[in-house]
Amino acid sequence: MSARAGAAKRGRPPKFGRRGRVVTLTLPEEVVAGLRQVNADLAWAVVRLFEKAAKRRAISPPPSDEAELVAIGGSRSLIVVPRKLFANLELPGVSILPLHADRAILALEPGRGMSDLVLAVDDRLAERTVGRLEAAALKRLRTQLRGWRRDHRLRCEARSIIIVERSRSRRRK
């Protein structure tokens, strides 16, 4: 065994606990002031903001043919699904509400929660009338739902939403 093999490394330890690189930036004064509110050390402020953004991206992967968690503010997210795959889907106690052209949110009847949603998906999959594409979409959704339920970093809570719908009839004079 060589003398250096057991010796501790000399010098200053890496600043962030891993290798780094010196980078020079020119930033607007208000950005520097904002970063200093995150951390007095600008490098640490940038690293913290990057890691925070990376965590958000890890929770909501972007593929458009999968269910995803979309942040709505703070640490809260909604379950968003591909509208084309779920528009005509019949899940008891679940409404598919169009969000925009290609996405929709899942809304549950009052008193229902995540376990009810998983059960509704399982029940629909057990039906003989389920088509191949619908079954594939439901299986992917079930996998996502179960993953979110088991993720110790996530807490699933049912909330009520209010839908205001305009009447299609003409107003009487």
Side-chain angles (χ1 to χ4, degrees):
M1 182 162 141
S2 73
R4 291 188 54 88
K9 290 186 178 182
R10 298 175 133 207
R12 186 176 185 181
K15 183 170 187 174
F16 306 105
R18 54 194 183 269
R19 285 184 41 196
R21 181 186 304 186
V22 176
V23 178
T24 303
L25 295 172
T26 302
L27 300 170
E29 288 294 330
E30 65 272 14
V31 172
V32 172
L35 287 170
R36 290 209 188 279
Q37 289 179 349
V38 173
N39 193 302
D41 181 329
L42 294 179
W44 271 110
V46 170
V47 168
R48 286 211 175 107
L49 291 173
F50 171 81
E51 288 174 345
K52 188 176 181 181
K55 283 180 185 175
R56 276 194 299 252
R57 282 192 306 273
I59 290 175
S60 56
S64 64
D65 65 337
E66 302 290 333
E68 62 183 310
L69 294 178
V70 175
I72 57 168
S75 60
R76 293 187 173 148
S77 298
L78 291 174
I79 298 172
V80 178
V81 297
R83 189 172 170 187
K84 65 181 179 191
L85 292 175
F86 290 86
N88 299 319
L89 191 66
E90 292 185 29
L91 291 172
V94 181
S95 295
I96 300 8
L97 304 175
L99 193 55
H100 52 78
D102 64 340
R103 307 304 281 162
I105 63 171
L106 299 181
L108 306 178
E109 288 179 352
R112 294 187 182 235
M114 181 66 104
S115 57
D116 297 301
L117 178 56
V118 173
L119 184 60
V121 170
D122 285 340
D123 287 349
R124 180 68 181 132
L125 277 168
E127 293 177 12
R128 293 180 186 191
T129 59
V130 176
R132 187 175 50 82
L133 291 175
E134 183 181 348
L138 285 168
K139 286 176 184 175
R140 288 192 307 270
L141 175 60
R142 180 178 59 192
T143 300
Q144 284 292 104
L145 294 173
R146 286 184 173 162
W148 294 329
R149 282 183 60 209
R150 293 176 179 151
D151 188 333
H152 68 279
R153 297 169 299 169
L154 302 175
R155 185 179 75 233
C156 301
E157 295 180 353
R159 299 281 188 200
S160 295
I161 61 170
I162 297 172
I163 300 171
V164 179
E165 188 172 1
R166 295 193 188 280
S167 171
R168 295 195 185 266
S169 64
R170 295 183 176 218
R171 287 199 301 182
R172 295 182 185 185
K173 292 184 179 181

